[in-house]
Amino acid sequence: MTPKTTDGLHLETISIALDGRTLLSLSAHVRPGEILTVMGPSGAGKSALLAYICGFLDPVFTGSGRILIDGGDLTGIAAEKRRCGMLFQDPLLFPHLSVGGNLLFGLTPSIAQRDQRRRMVEQALIDVELEGFYDRDPATLSGGQKARVALQRVMLSAPRLLLLDEPFSKLDSDLRQQTRGLIFARAKSAGLPVVLVTHDQADADAAGGPVIVIGEDNRT
């Protein structure tokens, strides 16, 4: 898939507050295929920022500011209509579904034919070197394999943007580097604007895009 010619993601004067105290305030333009890294310590509002972008901010927080993608305003749209792809610290695979079942769950419902859906899932597994894993129990997968299945589930949902909530933090050093490279490469090849939140400088270096630092120092 080649990157689409679009304007990308605009975050306009986004502010997240808790109990009347502003945790973060930022504006950014994330171009298609670009990765914006937001760095900061625990409690700085990083995960709340992603939740606000996706439309499911916990009501204990207060969020404001506009979210635009390719000229369209997502700010007032329901979460399920925003087409945000999101990866978390844990893969969050459904334990009652096979690997293939997990991927079918992510596949956009606009593809209705059963045979076509099966072929797309099988190809998605081949693309991440998991050929033959369709019927596997997710509990039998390694950490890296679970991360790859979670990535492909997100990509099959045809997202307009990708949000990464420290998805590498629980992986060992070698696996972290490998998984990071795969996720970044897939997002860039699909032309997705990406927002990564992390406290790890190595993640920011690997992303290779702009970096915003939040927290007590208020550095940018």
Side-chain angles (χ1 to χ4, degrees):
M1 185 181 297
T2 56
K4 301 173 184 176
T5 303
T6 63
D7 188 41
L9 174 68
H10 288 262
L11 304 177
E12 295 188 350
T13 59
I14 303 296
S15 179
I16 305 293
L18 177 64
D19 295 329
R21 179 174 64 91
T22 299
L23 299 178
L24 65 86
S25 181
L26 60 84
S27 294
H29 175 204
V30 190
R31 295 175 175 82
E34 185 176 60
I35 302 168
L36 168 68
T37 301
V38 178
M39 294 188 65
S42 298
K46 302 188 302 298
S47 294
L49 169 66
L50 299 188
Y52 180 72
I53 295 172
C54 258
F56 56 84
L57 183 66
D58 190 306
V60 301
F61 294 94
T62 301
S64 62
R66 291 210 306 165
I67 305 148
L68 307 173
I69 187 161
D70 303 335
D73 194 340
L74 298 183
T75 314
I77 296 178
E80 64 272 15
K81 295 182 179 180
R82 296 192 186 195
R83 288 174 55 196
C84 291
M86 193 162 180
L87 293 173
F88 299 88
Q89 292 182 13
D90 295 304
L92 301 179
L93 301 181
F94 297 115
H96 65 290
L97 297 178
S98 67
V99 167
N102 269 275
L103 295 189
L104 286 170
F105 184 87
L107 191 60
T108 172
S110 62
I111 302 169
Q113 294 187 357
R114 181 178 298 179
D115 289 349
Q116 184 181 6
R117 291 172 67 85
R118 173 75 184 233
R119 286 195 302 271
M120 291 183 68
V121 167
E122 294 278 16
Q123 185 59 54
L125 291 171
I126 292 171
D127 290 345
V128 291
E129 301 180 353
L130 293 177
E131 184 175 5
F133 278 59
Y134 189 97
D135 294 317
R136 285 278 294 271
D137 183 338
T140 68
L141 304 183
S142 69
Q145 290 168 338
K146 289 178 181 178
R148 281 181 272 166
V149 173
L151 169 64
Q152 293 301 75
R153 183 175 60 184
V154 165
M155 297 304 290
L156 284 171
S157 71
R160 301 176 70 181
L161 65 153
L162 182 62
L163 306 179
L164 305 176
D165 191 355
E166 303 196 58
F168 321 116
S169 62
K170 294 188 177 180
L171 302 176
D172 63 43
S173 179
D174 290 342
L175 190 55
R176 183 186 188 113
Q177 184 175 358
Q178 181 185 65
T179 304
R180 189 167 51 201
L182 173 64
I183 291 175
F184 291 169
R186 290 301 308 278
K188 290 178 180 179
S189 68
L192 296 177
V194 181
V195 180
L196 163 70
V197 301
T198 183
H199 61 271
D200 192 320
Q201 183 63 48
D203 289 345
D205 294 342
V211 178
I212 296 176
V213 180
I214 61 175
E216 295 180 0
D217 294 339
N218 286 327
R219 292 172 291 159
T220 57

